[in-house]
Amino acid sequence: MSNLCPFALVLRCLQRFHSLAETSSVIFRKRVFAHPSSFAAQRRRDPSKKMQLTLEFGGGLELLCDSVKIHNVNVETPKGAQQLAMRDLLVWVQKNLIKERPEMFIKGDTVRPGVLVLVNDCDWELSGQLDTTLEEKDVVVFISTLHGG
Amino acid sequence: MDSAGADAARILGEIESLKATRSDIEAKISALEAQLKGLSCRDGNGSCPPATAAGAGLGLGLGHGLAPEMIYRYSRQLLLPSFGVQAQSNLLKSSILVVGAGGLGSPALLYLAACGVGRLGIVDNDVVELNNMHRQIIHTEAYIGRSKVESAAAACRAINSTVQIVEHREALRTTNALEILSKYDIVVDATDNAPSRYMISDCCVVLGKPLVSGAALGLEGQLTVYNCSGGPCYRCLFPTPPPTTACQRCSDSGVLGVVPGIIGCLQALEAIKIASAVGEPLVERMLLFDALSGRIRIVKIRGRSLLCEVCGENATFSRQQFQEFDYEKFTQAPLSASAPPKLNLLSEDSRISSKDYSERLKNGEAHILVDVRPEHHFRIVSIPNSLNIPLSTLEKRVAEISSALNEAEGQRDANLYVICRRGNDSQRAVNHLQKIGFTSAKDIMGGLESWARDVDPSFPTY
Ligand SMILES: [Zn+2]
């Protein structure tokens, strides 16, 4: 990957999001792209822009949102904030998608124990948890760990 | 109804006694077969496995230690350039323990036995039940009511008599886990509950064993490898146990048989890769399988946590601490995915036994029966004329109860009974109904399970 310019990397990542069938490779999250035509740069010029995100729920968490697993949503960056962070997204999800038993999703200001959060197929622990900032067309997965067998 | 019930009871009794006879006969056959095998071994007529796989081929100057019959048996694996003789030889020298001979363990064990693992251990304390058969494909109907370990071991031996199968017919506990796990190179977690998962992972950290962990429920599965090549342990990922309400069981939520089958096969694959030192184990990655949408995604997960209480930098989790750790208390859940504990929310006079209810039903008492199970449960089976109002919708549908009560009222006041599968949700429902004014609401103790047991043996259970 290192011999590619950042712009090419962004393109490559976006292509990957569109081809969900591709399963063998792991997308490593890069947060340092500064190419003028990247989405991040576009958003800086237009901070009120709504961000298109794909949110997925699994491992039983979908039962909290009318049993719908995949939600294509537009989320607005909070007033005064430069970027949408996972912290903001959790508040938005709780308000807009969780229809029952919110305690099965949130505990305190984060997800309850036993829920894995993946931003573009990558554990949010690796991108700063609640501080992870989101970009246009990001895919965020909330999955409850299973114990059955 | 009564004579039909008596007939059913008689037939069930007869079936039970025939089954007992059958299992006696089968046990005798097994014993005799074992005896015969022992005799033919001493006669040296070659139907028995060599004591050790390694060394047998040395006479031919093959160098790799595979006996001729091993070469033939495993030829399709030996022909793989990326597997070959070296990997097969590694596999034959390895030992793998599978904890749980259920939905995940069934295919995992079959493939591990078939592929030529040197020694294969099986731990389980359950017996084979009819409602296991759709997914626990290692067991056959002949073994219903008998030990899962005994059944699985027989199946593995039938596939590959050259593998040493070790039976551990006991529940894995902190008291025996260290001793059992220490005898194997690799551990496969094919259990079905949260405390077992923490216990097995901790034990693997203490003993330094790689752990192939799989889970399946409903139409989804998850797979990863813990405590391997510097990767995380189960606690690195889940330092705090989930609330018990988040731990669904197959016996409540259901599971499509092939889903644990797929994950169990993948567990066998990961264990084979580690044992034969081939390929990249699924470390710091997790495979998520969604059967309905037909999607498999592999995600990157965190590495070993420096702060992990068990495997972290300053962790001092010792054998002794492991043995003293109370996993059931830690997770607030039992070390077996058995039925949930019976609640006792209501006073005596708010409850009625299924037998008493059937008497009142026979006497024509004016009443309504509300079944608070989810709709898809109700569709499986229900008591005639019961009204299905799932517990989750009870608050919204109180008016339906009121109008049904008005309709049922003759000269006397109609009674209100509530039933569910096992008698816990019905108590929760009665609790709520009494609070909002239905003071005479009563729960049928033990639910439909007790109805099937004490009133109508022909009533289907699930
Ligand atoms: Zn750890």
Side-chain angles (χ1 to χ4, degrees):
Chain A
M1 269 181 135
S2 57
N3 56 346
L4 294 170
C5 83
F7 182 51
L9 271 176
V10 172
L11 275 181
R12 213 164 104 169
C13 280
L14 288 175
Q15 279 160 5
R16 294 242 171 109
F17 303 153
H18 289 297
S19 99
L20 287 167
E22 185 169 343
T23 57
S24 58
S25 55
V26 167
I27 298 156
F28 291 88
R29 209 167 156 74
K30 301 277 179 189
R31 290 269 154 233
V32 289
F33 308 138
H35 198 281
S37 61
S38 75
F39 285 109
Q42 271 178 21
R43 211 172 53 246
R44 272 197 290 280
R45 287 197 296 273
D46 180 13
S48 67
K49 187 173 174 286
K50 280 202 169 186
M51 209 187 295
Q52 215 187 89
L53 299 171
T54 301
L55 308 182
E56 295 194 28
F57 297 82
L61 290 179
E62 72 279 6
L63 299 175
L64 308 179
C65 15
D66 291 334
S67 295
V68 177
K69 283 193 168 174
I70 302 179
H71 301 253
N72 289 303
V73 299
N74 290 296
V75 182
E76 210 164 318
T77 307
K79 285 194 186 87
Q82 283 292 313
Q83 286 177 305
L84 181 75
M86 275 305 298
R87 188 186 311 280
D88 312 314
L89 184 67
L90 285 187
V91 173
W92 188 91
V93 166
Q94 203 180 357
K95 202 168 136 199
N96 294 280
L97 296 182
I98 303 293
K99 301 286 160 63
E100 55 178 283
R101 295 176 288 159
E103 73 281 2
M104 295 298 287
F105 182 66
I106 292 281
K107 189 176 180 191
D109 65 347
T110 188
V111 293
R112 68 149 168 88
V115 173
L116 283 179
V117 183
L118 308 158
V119 181
N120 300 330
D121 284 350
C122 190
D123 192 344
W124 75 339
E125 284 283 329
L126 301 168
S127 56
Q129 264 205 11
L130 289 166
D131 296 324
T132 310
T133 54
L134 295 165
E135 293 172 13
E136 183 78 10
K137 297 207 167 137
D138 274 355
V139 179
V140 182
V141 177
F142 300 98
I143 196 144
S144 178
T145 175
L146 303 178
H147 305 100
Chain B
M1 164 106 221
D2 243 9
S3 76
D7 270 355
R10 180 182 51 78
I11 294 171
L12 281 171
E14 238 172 274
I15 291 176
E16 278 316 304
S17 108
L18 284 171
K19 274 186 180 167
T21 314
R22 178 177 67 186
S23 97
D24 273 354
I25 292 172
E26 275 164 0
K28 276 179 199 151
I29 292 175
S30 301
L32 288 172
E33 277 172 351
Q35 226 179 322
L36 185 66
K37 207 165 189 182
L39 286 175
S40 59
C41 250
R42 274 196 296 277
D43 293 348
N45 63 8
S47 67
C48 269
T52 56
L58 289 178
L60 293 172
L62 300 176
H64 50 60
L66 295 185
E69 61 270 26
M70 294 287 182
I71 291 177
Y72 191 56
R73 178 188 278 270
Y74 303 118
S75 54
R76 275 30 173 190
Q77 291 177 173
L78 303 179
L79 287 169
L80 280 171
S82 51
F83 198 80
V85 164
Q86 188 54 54
Q88 186 66 53
S89 171
N90 292 343
L91 202 52
L92 286 164
K93 286 176 204 140
S94 72
S95 55
I96 300 177
L97 178 72
V98 177
V99 188
L104 298 164
S106 287
L109 283 163
L110 290 173
Y111 272 106
L112 290 173
C115 76
V117 167
R119 184 158 41 87
L120 188 55
I122 315 167
V123 196
D124 205 313
N125 196 36
D126 283 348
V127 295
V128 180
E129 292 178 55
L130 182 62
N131 63 10
N132 300 153
M133 308 298 292
H134 79 114
R135 68 184 188 284
Q136 304 184 10
I137 55 161
I138 202 168
H139 309 299
T140 53
E141 288 180 5
Y143 279 91
I144 289 175
R146 287 159 70 183
S147 149
K148 282 189 185 176
V149 167
E150 180 195 1
S151 163
C156 289
R157 289 187 187 112
I159 286 177
N160 191 344
S161 60
T162 69
V163 170
Q164 191 191 339
I165 309 291
V166 185
E167 300 180 31
H168 302 276
R169 294 187 205 181
E170 53 196 314
L172 199 68
R173 302 268 163 189
T174 49
T175 46
N176 60 6
L178 284 167
E179 199 207 327
I180 294 176
L181 267 65
S182 64
K183 292 178 191 147
Y184 297 87
D185 303 327
I186 299 161
V187 179
V188 174
D189 183 346
T191 61
D192 57 5
N193 62 83
S196 291
R197 290 182 183 277
Y198 279 101
M199 178 178 74
I200 293 167
S201 173
D202 288 356
C203 193
C204 283
V205 171
V206 169
L207 296 170
K209 310 276 183 189
L211 171 62
V212 180
S213 178
L217 188 91
L219 291 147
E220 286 181 73
Q222 299 170 354
L223 170 83
T224 189
V225 175
Y226 292 116
N227 201 44
C228 180
S229 314
C233 79
Y234 190 67
R235 282 203 203 229
C236 294
L237 235 66
F238 306 109
T240 312
T244 47
T245 42
C247 300
Q248 304 174 71
R249 288 178 305 267
C250 294
S251 57
D252 289 337
S253 307
V255 60
L256 192 69
V258 65
V259 173
I262 288 163
I263 300 297
C265 284
L266 289 166
Q267 286 184 280
L269 173 62
E270 289 304 314
I272 290 168
K273 280 159 60 185
I274 300 169
S276 58
V278 157
E280 290 169 59
L282 200 67
V283 174
E284 292 185 22
R285 292 180 294 157
M286 185 180 278
L287 183 147
L288 307 171
F289 173 58
D290 181 21
L292 267 196
S293 63
R295 272 203 290 167
I296 293 177
R297 66 197 313 161
I298 291 162
V299 300
K300 168 113 185 102
I301 56 172
R302 70 202 71 170
R304 174 158 291 186
S305 163
L306 297 178
L307 302 172
C308 177
E309 284 182 31
V310 175
C311 79
E313 214 169 27
N314 299 315
T316 55
F317 198 77
S318 66
R319 284 169 181 247
Q320 197 188 338
Q321 272 168 294
F322 170 77
Q323 281 177 314
E324 286 165 3
F325 197 91
D326 188 339
Y327 288 92
E328 295 190 323
K329 198 172 155 207
F330 177 61
T331 56
Q332 296 288 301
L335 275 162
S336 68
S338 52
K342 297 225 178 297
L343 289 179
N344 212 341
L345 297 178
L346 305 170
S347 62
E348 282 286 303
D349 55 348
S350 296
R351 313 193 67 184
I352 177 173
S353 74
S354 56
K355 267 202 169 133
D356 287 348
Y357 170 73
S358 78
E359 287 301 317
R360 296 188 183 196
L361 186 66
K362 239 185 287 175
N363 295 337
E365 184 193 277
H367 76 280
I368 65 162
L369 176 63
V370 174
D371 186 328
V372 292
R373 292 174 300 153
E375 203 185 319
H376 62 284
H377 286 232
F378 190 78
R379 277 200 294 266
I380 299 172
V381 64
S382 64
I383 291 181
N385 302 318
S386 54
L387 172 66
N388 182 215
I389 301 183
L391 183 61
S392 60
T393 64
L394 187 64
E395 269 176 74
K396 277 182 272 176
R397 296 175 60 183
V398 168
E400 287 175 53
I401 297 179
S402 302
S403 69
L405 275 174
N406 285 335
E407 260 176 56
E409 247 166 61
Q411 298 95 339
R412 301 153 293 175
D413 281 347
N415 277 316
L416 168 57
Y417 300 107
V418 182
I419 199 162
C420 66
R421 184 178 176 192
R422 299 192 179 103
N424 282 349
D425 277 354
S426 57
Q427 293 185 59
R428 295 186 177 102
V430 166
N431 219 356
H432 177 73
L433 288 169
Q434 290 185 341
K435 270 184 202 147
I436 58 170
F438 296 90
T439 47
S440 72
K442 282 189 174 56
D443 128 81
I444 296 178
M445 288 186 279
L448 292 170
E449 281 189 355
S450 81
W451 179 265
R453 193 180 56 238
D454 302 332
V455 178
D456 180 6
S458 69
F459 192 84
T461 53
Y462 57 94

